[in-house]
Amino acid sequence: MFIDIPSELEAALIDLPLPTWKLDGSVLAKSTMKRYRTDLTATPRFEEAAAALRHALTGEGGGYAVLRLGNLAKALGTDDDRFLRLATGFAAEVAVPFSPFPRWPLWKDIGVKVDKDPGKSSGIGYNAFHMDLVNGTLPPDYTTLLCVRPDPLGGGPSILSDAHAAVARLSENSRALLAEAAYNYGTFFDLHGVGEEYKPFPILDGPDPGEGFVRFTAKMLERSQLGRVHADAARELAEELLRGQVSFMLQHGDYLIVNQRRFLHGREALHSGQETVPVADRRLLLQLFLRARAGDGSAA
């Protein structure tokens, strides 16, 4: 769902001097969230926009939203801390912002590196469907991506798919195999706030069908040693995810928020010729993770 910001709210936000945020360890401090909420809710139609955002993420049939912040990005500039504070304030209306990476204080840069593994988030190739931090016992409830610069050559559409809808189309036997702790992917080190390493793990990690995380990354099919029947079940899921795929191009200032308990995400390949684009002009996203508040069942 795409959510446009009302013009009167945009005008108020441009002039809103939100303070610099503070962290409590790797988590956005409660004092900052309280101040942001107080200041933002005093602006016209903010609560309406925030309610629409939460509904798009947790309401029936929902699971992702793109908040159109392009006019704010144009007015303030994406290199202005005021713009990033506004994006952080919207994120805090959904859940608690935090960083699992010690080297990144809150937001993480995702640029383009032509010599990187093409399938990685900073690569130039197809980034297949996945959930972030799939092998942590407490992965982020939400992953978010703020578009600072789209690919100037016109590639790299975002892709999303309803994970539980894909699972519902599988055979009963495949669902049973995906519920077994027989899967693994990646390494786990120097991370905070995402629990312990989960290895092996079930792909269907919830108490009931249609609930909980679908712990899937298509990369496990090529990069992990899986038993044949379990790999076949995972491939069947990958095919169903592709059947249900939606795609769109993030524009300057677009803020994508994905409920990881409902949707998986990825990216089509960037346009060829990335090596001819100066590093400072290449696609740039900023990533922020969110943790559902204690007792908040809205992400389930």
Side-chain angles (χ1 to χ4, degrees):
M1 179 177 180
F2 287 78
I3 300 174
D4 292 306
I5 304 298
S7 57
E8 56 265 54
L9 176 56
E10 286 180 334
L13 293 178
I14 289 171
D15 296 325
L16 184 66
L18 290 179
T20 301
W21 64 67
K22 295 181 180 179
L23 299 180
D24 182 3
S26 61
V27 176
L28 189 65
K30 291 181 180 179
S31 59
T32 296
M33 287 190 285
K34 182 178 180 180
R35 174 64 186 275
Y36 282 10
R37 164 143 264 274
T38 297
D39 291 356
L40 288 167
T41 54
T43 58
R45 302 186 66 182
F46 174 78
E47 290 190 284
E48 173 188 330
L53 178 60
R54 289 190 292 267
H55 179 75
L57 293 166
T58 63
E60 185 176 355
Y64 75 90
V66 178
L67 196 60
R68 312 305 296 267
L69 303 180
N71 289 337
L72 292 172
K74 183 177 180 180
L76 297 174
T78 50
D79 57 350
D80 190 315
D81 284 347
R82 291 180 298 166
F83 177 69
L84 207 54
R85 291 172 203 167
L86 289 173
T88 304
F90 274 105
E93 289 294 307
V94 174
V96 180
F98 79 102
S99 172
F101 308 112
R103 63 174 293 194
W104 298 101
L106 196 59
W107 293 81
K108 176 187 176 183
D109 290 2
I110 301 179
V112 174
K113 299 177 181 178
V114 296
D115 57 349
K116 195 83 170 179
D117 179 342
K120 295 288 188 179
S121 59
S122 58
I124 63 175
Y126 174 66
N127 188 7
F129 282 119
H130 64 281
M131 69 168 284
D132 288 327
L133 296 163
V134 65
N135 59 342
T137 54
L138 295 172
D141 295 293
Y142 300 86
T143 185
T144 82
L145 295 166
L146 180 63
C147 183
V148 174
R149 284 190 304 273
D151 178 7
L153 300 180
S158 296
I159 57 174
L160 293 104
S161 191
D162 184 330
H164 288 291
V167 168
R169 294 192 294 268
L170 299 176
S171 66
E172 184 177 346
N173 181 62
S174 291
R175 289 197 296 270
L177 289 166
L178 295 174
E180 295 178 1
Y183 298 89
N184 62 86
Y185 175 75
T187 57
F188 190 93
F189 62 94
D190 204 18
L191 297 171
H192 298 298
V194 291
E196 306 296 330
E197 182 174 16
Y198 200 1
K199 182 180 180 180
F201 55 80
I203 288 179
L204 302 187
D205 190 17
D208 299 300
E211 296 184 10
F213 291 108
V214 176
R215 291 179 176 271
F216 179 78
T217 172
K219 296 170 188 173
M220 69 171 62
L221 296 172
E222 303 295 334
R223 305 184 186 188
S224 300
Q225 293 184 343
L226 305 176
R228 183 183 60 81
V229 293
H230 291 95
D232 287 346
R235 288 191 184 92
E236 186 180 346
L237 174 57
E239 292 171 358
E240 291 300 328
L241 289 167
L242 288 172
R243 279 186 58 195
Q245 172 178 310
V246 296
S247 66
F248 47 81
M249 192 75 72
L250 291 177
Q251 303 297 330
H252 176 62
D254 281 351
Y255 188 25
L256 169 63
I257 304 178
V258 181
N259 184 339
Q260 291 214 119
R261 292 180 179 270
R262 297 190 179 188
F263 271 71
L264 301 178
H265 68 286
R267 181 206 65 228
E268 297 283 5
L270 301 181
H271 198 283
S272 60
Q274 293 296 316
E275 67 280 354
T276 69
V277 180
V279 173
D281 295 335
R282 292 174 184 167
R283 184 179 192 255
L284 176 61
L285 305 179
L286 300 180
Q287 185 172 43
L288 175 67
F289 296 105
L290 309 178
R291 169 76 61 214
R293 293 173 177 83
D296 181 2
S298 62

